[in-house]
Amino acid sequence: MATSTLQAAVVDGGIWVLWFILTAIDIVLIFLSKIISSDDSDSNCTKEKTRIVIVGASFAGLSVYRDLIRHSNPGEVEITAIDYRDFFEYNPGILRCFVNPSYLTSLTCKLSALNNDGRGSRFVQGEVVGVNPSANTVTLKSGKVISYDFLVLATGSTYPGTIKTTTVESTLSQRQMQMNQQAKVVCDAATIFIVGGGAVGVELAGEIAETYPKKDKRVVIMDMANTILPGFQQETKDYCKHWLETNGIEIVLGTSLKAIDEKSVTFQDGSKQFADLIFKCVGAAPASGFLKAEQSGDLAKVLSGPKGSVVANDHLQVEGFDNIFCAGDVCYHSSSNELKLAHTAHVNGSLVALNVLRLVRGQSNSLLSYPHGLYGNDKTPKIYNVSLGKYDSSLGFNSLMIHGVLPAVVKWLIEWTQVAAAANRPVGKLFWIVADWVSFFLGRTIFLPSKSKAE
């Protein structure tokens, strides 16, 4: 099932057309905003503003940031977003950089764009090492202390290896260097083991298979489960498994590993297999370690969710702390128990922003519950898009399944608009306002949740 010339032409052509349309819309929106914009800056406001601090500037954190600005009044709030990086990265697309490191420029933008909202809100680069809920402060590694009236925890998750950034990749140039090195290692390896058959493992195998002919590399996916893509619909599992095997990827399921070393794996019976490169595509964990600092006091007690995630109530407030909220991968909301995806993190952030503003305005008795309070849905739509290289993909939207070139184009659209929104471009922000409303509307009217069990 190697990519055909026609398939590549359809995807590349669709991407070009969408890019042209989106860029034209962006230019028009920028022009219109300059014509009809009113002076809604905070510069002439003397009233003391409510201080809102957001720790983490990825999907959830940026969603909170944008919706606070969108729904707040001039002079009402002062927003500070903090992240150890100086850039936003669309991380679900990062696996393509393992074979094409230059693609990183399409997935990233500088977070300094957050300083250009006209409301006096700001971005601060720094690593948060502690939260003091008694004093309402957060402390950065540099020693700087930032006070808040409301705090939002949106620090995301950590992951083994180079799939997600770490604090040693705080600049875009450092991240690019890491991707260049990773791509060279992949290029040089003849045998690659991928431990973990979830979305990350499947997508990584897909990128390698598309870039390198199967005669050049032996790629093996290993998982102790009896299926790839646990939690996804069976149709997607079957499609992806067929694509991978057709493109030369070996899949070994139902086998537990005793040890994973740098260049070998040990099975339970003691036997070993060796590889030039091993990717550990399991072990995602909430990035909540900084809440264990001594100054955090009782806040450390809320790390009782799976893998140390922060337990939240139905309003996405941290249990026991009315002025602290959480969203995204670091958050555990037992009632929804969703897959941790960029879309759900984005939706978490939207509800958090609205509830923070209600508290700012003294409306504590009318807080919205997640997710019903946003659009009336009892559950967020289950939306995913599993890439199989650049030119193929499997998209799921509740009961709707689409495979092939169309989802591949949609994947690009999601990436491009997310980065555009993070860069404060009007077309990106508008796209996701519309897309969120449409997805929830379709999820409760036309494409209802699938009744079949995703194993």
Side-chain angles (χ1 to χ4, degrees), residues 59 232 328-329 338-346 381-384:
F59 298 107
F232 291 76
D329 286 3
E338 305 164 318
L339 286 175
K340 292 300 183 182
L341 304 169
H343 174 256
T344 52
H346 182 79
K382 185 176 182 179
I383 305 173
Y384 60 80

Side-chain angles (χ1 to χ4, degrees), residues 78-96:
E78 174 188 274
I79 311 166
T80 301
I82 305 172
D83 201 288
Y84 67 86
R85 304 175 300 184
D86 68 355
F87 63 97
F88 166 80
E89 174 182 287
Y90 184 81
N91 190 253
I94 198 64
L95 298 171
R96 186 156 302 156

Side-chain angles (χ1 to χ4, degrees), residues 156-226:
S157 57
T158 60
Y159 210 88
T162 58
I163 292 173
K164 287 200 170 186
T165 56
T166 64
T167 53
V168 299
E169 300 166 279
S170 59
T171 67
L172 194 49
S173 60
Q174 290 170 332
R175 184 60 164 164
Q176 184 66 71
M177 186 181 300
Q178 180 67 262
M179 289 298 100
N180 292 342
Q181 294 171 351
Q182 184 66 81
K184 185 179 186 307
V185 172
V186 171
C187 179
D188 293 342
T191 301
I192 301 173
F193 290 168
I194 298 173
V195 180
V200 175
V202 167
E203 291 193 338
L204 177 57
E207 295 295 342
I208 296 172
E210 182 182 78
T211 303
Y212 299 100
K214 52 188 174 183
K215 64 180 181 180
D216 288 350
K217 295 187 188 297
R218 178 186 178 222
V219 181
V220 184
I221 295 177
M222 302 178 176
D223 201 300
M224 65 184 298
N226 292 318

Side-chain angles (χ1 to χ4, degrees), residues 190 201 222 226 228 241 253 296 302 321 337 367 371 380 437 440:
M222 302 178 176
N226 292 318
I228 61 170
K241 188 172 185 291
L253 300 173
S296 298
V302 303
F321 298 88
N337 195 26
L367 295 183
T380 53
W437 184 89
F440 273 84

